[in-house]
Amino acid sequence: MKDSLKISQKLSPRKYALFTGTLLLTSTGLITRVLGFFYRIFLSRTIGAEGLGLYNMVHPVFGICFALCAGSIQTAISQSVAANVRKGRSIFRTGLVISMSTSFVLAWLIIRFQDFLAGSILMEPRCAPRLTYIAVSVPCAAIHACINGYYYGMQRTRVPAFAQVIEQSVRIGAVFLIADIMLEAGIEITVQLAVAGHLIGEIASTLYTVAACQFFPPKLPDGTYAKDTDSDGRRFSAAADSFRRTAPSLMTLALPLMGNRLILNILSSAEAIWIPGSLNRFGLSSSEAFSIYGVLTGMALPANVKV
């Protein structure tokens, strides 16, 4: 306590906020990693190595969609808001509109072409039903990513930090509860449980960040809250003008980041497709190939991969 007081006295308010925010995000990141570690162990014992292999094959599809509609825009919102906090709400709304529009298109494409994606791209028809869960989770991820970016830009890291813990905790708790109910009912547990848990976690994080943004919006440096000034009946046209002004600069920041994230996730997806396919070509059955891939990605490396 005394050390914290000494630090606060030595640092300026801006540097102190950066210090405490970094410490909070580091702590919550470690907590979510530890929870994810034990979650992987639980999944390996319930859905098995083959189930983990199937889950790790469909999950990169979510990564690609997140890179296109949320991840890069979150960073762009954060940087733009930090540069001009007075226009933070306008920048946030612009990023949210772009992100949500893109996410709904991607979700529709996944659902519409899930059989093609599973059979011709992922090379595993059993992935098709799981892609629906991934598709529904994409708009949820877009919402809370944009809200988190807004809070990061305003140097208010508590909401994004707690959102990580809530997402992971609710996901794990829901999967534990569903698995227990299924075991008591004598229902076989499959990879469907893992993708359902992923969706539940995204929904929980979205509900939390939306509620926080609604009831506890970030304050401006002077301690006041940002307010909409267009209350003269021209709110829609004012919002449209604001969108046209802020969208180009926001996308200028987002596009290079999007390209980088997209390449990394495409390579991850290629690995998920190539390894089981190669094992299958060298004589292993499909079940054996996915079991080995599940052991590699879900059991051997659980501490390095975020669930």
Side-chain angles (χ1 to χ4, degrees), residues 42-48 50-52 130 175-194:
F42 174 76
L43 286 180
S44 69
R45 294 178 180 274
T46 52
I47 65 175
E50 184 180 359
L52 276 178
R130 285 83 191 183
V175 169
F176 279 13
L177 178 61
I178 296 172
D180 186 57
I181 293 173
M182 293 177 70
L183 286 174
E184 289 186 0
I187 302 173
E188 181 184 4
I189 298 176
T190 66
V191 68
Q192 205 89 351
L193 178 64

Side-chain angles (χ1 to χ4, degrees), residues 96-138:
L96 184 63
V97 169
I98 296 172
S99 182
M100 288 299 297
S101 301
T102 309
S103 69
F104 279 120
V105 172
L106 291 172
W108 178 82
L109 289 173
I110 292 174
I111 294 173
R112 176 68 176 80
F113 299 104
Q114 62 181 8
D115 292 329
F116 171 77
L117 288 172
S120 301
I121 305 298
L122 299 179
M123 304 298 179
E124 179 52 59
R126 287 181 295 173
C127 292
R130 285 83 191 183
L131 289 175
T132 302
Y133 291 87
I134 297 298
V136 176
S137 69
V138 171

Side-chain angles (χ1 to χ4, degrees), residues 24-304:
L24 180 61
L25 289 172
T26 302
S27 302
T28 53
L30 179 62
I31 291 172
T32 55
R33 293 267 177 181
V34 172
L35 290 174
F37 177 82
F38 290 104
Y39 182 50
R40 288 273 179 172
I41 296 174
F42 174 76
L43 286 180
S44 69
R45 294 178 180 274
T46 52
I47 65 175
E50 184 180 359
L52 276 178
L54 287 170
Y55 175 70
N56 290 326
M57 174 166 277
V58 300
H59 199 266
V61 175
F62 172 80
I64 291 175
C65 293
F66 187 81
L68 286 171
C69 72
S72 55
I73 295 177
Q74 173 184 326
T75 305
I77 290 174
S78 175
Q79 293 180 353
S80 299
V81 171
N84 192 343
V85 294
R86 293 290 173 182
K87 294 184 178 179
R89 285 176 64 87
S90 175
I91 295 168
F92 163 64
R93 284 198 301 262
T94 299
L96 184 63
V97 169
I98 296 172
S99 182
M100 288 299 297
S101 301
T102 309
S103 69
F104 279 120
V105 172
L106 291 172
W108 178 82
L109 289 173
I110 292 174
I111 294 173
R112 176 68 176 80
F113 299 104
Q114 62 181 8
D115 292 329
F116 171 77
L117 288 172
S120 301
I121 305 298
L122 299 179
M123 304 298 179
E124 179 52 59
R126 287 181 295 173
C127 292
R130 285 83 191 183
L131 289 175
T132 302
Y133 291 87
I134 297 298
V136 176
S137 69
V138 171
C140 296
I143 294 172
H144 70 71
C146 290
I147 295 175
N148 288 344
Y150 180 36
Y151 276 88
Y152 286 138
M154 298 294 287
Q155 295 189 2
R156 302 291 186 269
T157 56
R158 288 186 180 181
V159 168
F162 292 151
Q164 293 181 35
V165 178
I166 288 173
E167 178 183 344
Q168 192 76 298
S169 300
V170 171
R171 175 186 300 162
I172 295 173
V175 169
F176 279 13
L177 178 61
I178 296 172
D180 186 57
I181 293 173
M182 293 177 70
L183 286 174
E184 289 186 0
I187 302 173
E188 181 184 4
I189 298 176
T190 66
V191 68
Q192 205 89 351
L193 178 64
V195 290
H198 170 80
L199 175 59
I200 292 170
E202 293 293 340
I203 292 174
S205 181
T206 300
L207 292 176
Y208 168 73
T209 51
V210 168
C213 191
Q214 181 68 30
F215 298 108
F216 306 102
K219 293 182 179 180
L220 295 172
D222 59 7
T224 62
Y225 293 101
K227 295 181 180 180
D228 294 317
T229 57
D230 9 290
S231 56
D232 57 352
R234 298 180 59 253
R235 180 167 297 180
F236 179 79
S237 60
D241 290 340
S242 175
F243 180 87
R244 285 193 291 269
R245 287 195 302 269
T246 56
S249 59
L250 193 66
M251 293 310 296
T252 299
L253 285 173
L255 286 175
L257 297 170
M258 186 183 298
N260 177 267
R261 289 171 180 265
L262 185 60
I263 290 172
L264 292 176
N265 281 282
I266 288 175
L267 292 175
S268 177
S269 298
E271 178 188 85
I273 297 169
W274 180 73
I275 293 177
S278 297
L279 293 171
N280 192 250
R281 284 194 296 272
F282 277 91
L284 295 181
S285 66
S286 178
S287 178
E288 291 172 333
F290 278 106
S291 295
I292 293 176
Y293 180 65
V295 169
L296 172 65
T297 58
M299 299 180 187
L301 303 174
N304 295 327

